[in-house]
Amino acid sequence: RLSAMGQHQAGEEQGGGRRGVREAMAELGSLVRKNLKPSAGQAALSRRTHSLLSASKRLHKLTSEQVIWQDGCFSVSAEAKWDESRRGKDIVLSSNNTTVTRSNGNEWGGVLGSQCFTAGQHTFTFNIDKCQTDYVYVGLAYENVDLNDNYNGRNIVLRAGDGSFRVFSSSQGCFGGYRTGDSIRVEVDMMERTATFYKNDQLLCLAGGIAGPMRPFVSIGSRDVSITLQTHDARSQSDLHAGGPSSPMLEVAVRAGLDLVFALLEKEDNQRIRVRMLKTALLAMEALPPLAFFRDADALRDEALSSVADFLHAVAAPESTAGLEERALCTQLLLELAVARGSLRFNLSILAKLDGSCPLDDRMLGTLRRLGDV
């Protein structure tokens, strides 16, 4: 799934990495479903995990800001751009692929936006920089829309001239056109399967019946047109639920407290206490539902989680003086942290820490299955 998302974000040079991720994911999923002996499972799991982690580093471009958790699903929310790999005849992109024009006024040419809406609520705006023609349609479309057509059964579009509103080719009436200086805002609700159109913040029309992932779309049949795409998904859903800034005293207390605890636990004579604490923490983490920390996140909490992850990795690393059981506990706790946090950026940082040298055994298959679901 990460690979499918990454295809729209990564360059051609990352093709090998995406294939590696797909293959590793498939084999890892197959392994989790099998009942293997501990020794065989450990060896196979170590090989597959190492391959997955190596390839996953190529997906760092797909950051947590681009993947939004809404209403029980992930949704890719890239920056406001037109997708240069999904454009029709004579389409010209400029201003870092945010503005579309057309070099030929004959027939039609369209382009899809880089965003792909699969869940939750999203808003984007077409800023009409230049348009003194009727031959323009703006709206949204399925991935497999005909890019050399205006309206058809794969898109929902509004015409510039008379405001003709077409929902999957069917006419829904006319709602007034748009010209230079206007803005057409579209609000997409993937839970209700609706798209609402506004002109200069005034409600125009609404369409329903969306049956799958959709992307911003424009089709142009004239040369004298310039349209800029603007989106409003700059923050993740976790940011919307985050509270106000924490006090400086609280930040100092958290940082100092964590440093003190970790310094005490790293002492060799505190090994028993450390093992007991790790087992208790693991039981508590396993009882949490996936993404338990996702909505309850801010900079201070993320920093605290990163400090905990650094400590666990230091204990799990092969150069650590800890025993095998303790190192395995830390490795499993790292994976459980990834399951609970759910942020792609945080999870990739966790995977990068598990560079194949941390101990893995069949007890972790359940945790890896949950991480796979996330």
Side-chain angles (χ1 to χ4, degrees):
R1 185 164 183 175
L2 294 182
S3 174
M5 293 178 180
Q7 288 177 2
H8 299 294
Q9 307 296 323
E12 289 300 324
E13 70 277 4
Q14 294 178 315
R18 293 198 299 272
R19 286 193 296 273
V21 171
R22 284 197 294 270
E23 295 168 0
M25 278 289 196
E27 295 187 39
L28 185 60
S30 175
L31 171 65
V32 169
R33 289 189 291 270
K34 294 179 180 178
N35 295 320
L36 299 177
K37 294 181 180 180
S39 58
Q42 180 178 349
L45 183 60
S46 179
R47 290 196 301 271
R48 289 299 91 217
T49 304
H50 179 70
S51 175
L52 173 62
L53 303 188
S54 298
S56 69
K57 294 175 182 178
R58 297 175 180 264
L59 291 177
H60 269 294
K61 186 177 180 181
L62 192 63
T63 65
S64 57
E65 282 76 17
Q66 295 170 307
V67 179
I68 295 176
W69 173 260
Q70 289 183 318
D71 302 315
C73 296
F74 280 109
S75 179
V76 178
S77 181
E79 57 187 317
K81 286 186 178 182
W82 297 108
D83 187 347
E84 60 183 344
S85 67
R86 297 289 289 123
R87 54 180 168 171
K89 292 184 297 185
D90 305 316
I91 288 292
V92 178
L93 303 180
S94 60
S95 301
N96 197 24
N97 291 348
T98 61
T99 299
V100 56
T101 57
R102 196 152 182 263
S103 61
N104 190 334
N106 297 325
E107 300 180 325
W108 291 89
V111 61
L112 285 168
S114 59
Q115 290 188 304
C116 179
F117 307 127
T118 62
Q121 298 175 338
H122 304 268
T123 302
F124 59 94
T125 298
F126 300 101
N127 292 318
I128 313 302
D129 305 319
K130 183 180 181 182
C131 177
Q132 299 300 329
T133 177
D134 295 349
Y135 303 113
V136 178
Y137 285 86
V138 299
L140 60 165
Y142 294 129
E143 173 68 28
N144 58 349
V145 68
D146 185 349
L147 295 175
N148 296 311
D149 198 0
N150 45 19
Y151 61 86
N152 53 53
R154 310 300 298 170
N155 58 25
I156 300 172
V157 290
L158 182 71
R159 187 175 183 177
D162 57 2
S164 174
F165 189 45
R166 297 278 180 168
V167 179
F168 304 124
S169 190
S170 175
S171 176
Q172 304 297 309
C174 297
F175 297 88
Y178 45 89
R179 286 290 187 259
T180 300
D182 289 332
S183 65
I184 302 298
R185 187 174 84 249
V186 182
E187 296 181 353
V188 184
D189 190 330
M190 295 303 294
M191 289 296 291
E192 298 294 331
R193 302 296 181 184
T194 61
T196 308
F197 286 65
Y198 299 81
K199 174 185 172 182
N200 301 330
D201 295 327
Q202 298 296 315
L203 176 64
L204 286 183
C205 46
L206 181 145
I210 296 175
M214 303 204 80
R215 300 168 67 175
F217 173 77
V218 64
S219 182
I220 302 173
S222 173
R223 296 183 60 178
D224 299 322
V225 176
S226 175
I227 298 176
T228 298
L229 179 64
Q230 176 185 358
T231 54
H232 307 274
D233 291 321
R235 297 183 301 164
S236 70
Q237 189 72 358
S238 62
D239 294 327
L240 299 179
H241 288 79
S246 56
S247 70
M249 289 188 65
L250 179 59
E251 294 185 15
V252 171
V254 170
R255 294 189 179 99
L258 286 174
D259 288 344
L260 177 61
V261 170
F262 295 153
L264 291 173
L265 290 175
E266 286 171 355
K267 291 186 177 181
E268 291 186 13
D269 52 356
N270 287 334
Q271 184 178 11
R272 288 186 179 181
I273 298 176
R274 191 166 61 223
V275 171
R276 189 192 317 172
M277 184 206 71
L278 291 172
K279 289 181 177 179
T280 302
L282 182 58
L283 288 174
M285 292 295 297
E286 287 176 334
L288 293 175
L291 300 167
F293 299 158
F294 191 88
R295 293 184 182 274
D296 186 29
D298 60 19
L300 180 59
R301 295 188 186 97
D302 280 347
E303 183 179 340
L305 285 176
S306 296
S307 297
V308 172
D310 290 340
F311 167 74
L312 293 174
H313 177 250
V315 178
E319 60 270 17
S320 168
T321 58
L324 183 60
E325 178 189 14
E326 191 176 353
R327 292 176 57 212
L329 284 170
C330 288
T331 300
Q332 191 167 359
L333 267 171
L334 279 170
L335 293 172
E336 288 289 350
L337 274 180
V339 172
R341 180 62 185 93
S343 157
L344 181 59
R345 175 182 294 171
F346 182 81
N347 286 4
L348 286 176
S349 71
I350 293 294
L351 293 175
K353 295 179 188 299
L354 303 178
D355 54 4
S357 58
C358 295
L360 293 164
D361 57 43
D362 59 309
R363 293 175 297 178
M364 301 178 194
L365 291 178
T367 303
L368 283 168
R369 184 184 297 113
R370 297 204 299 155
L371 182 57
D373 291 340
V374 170

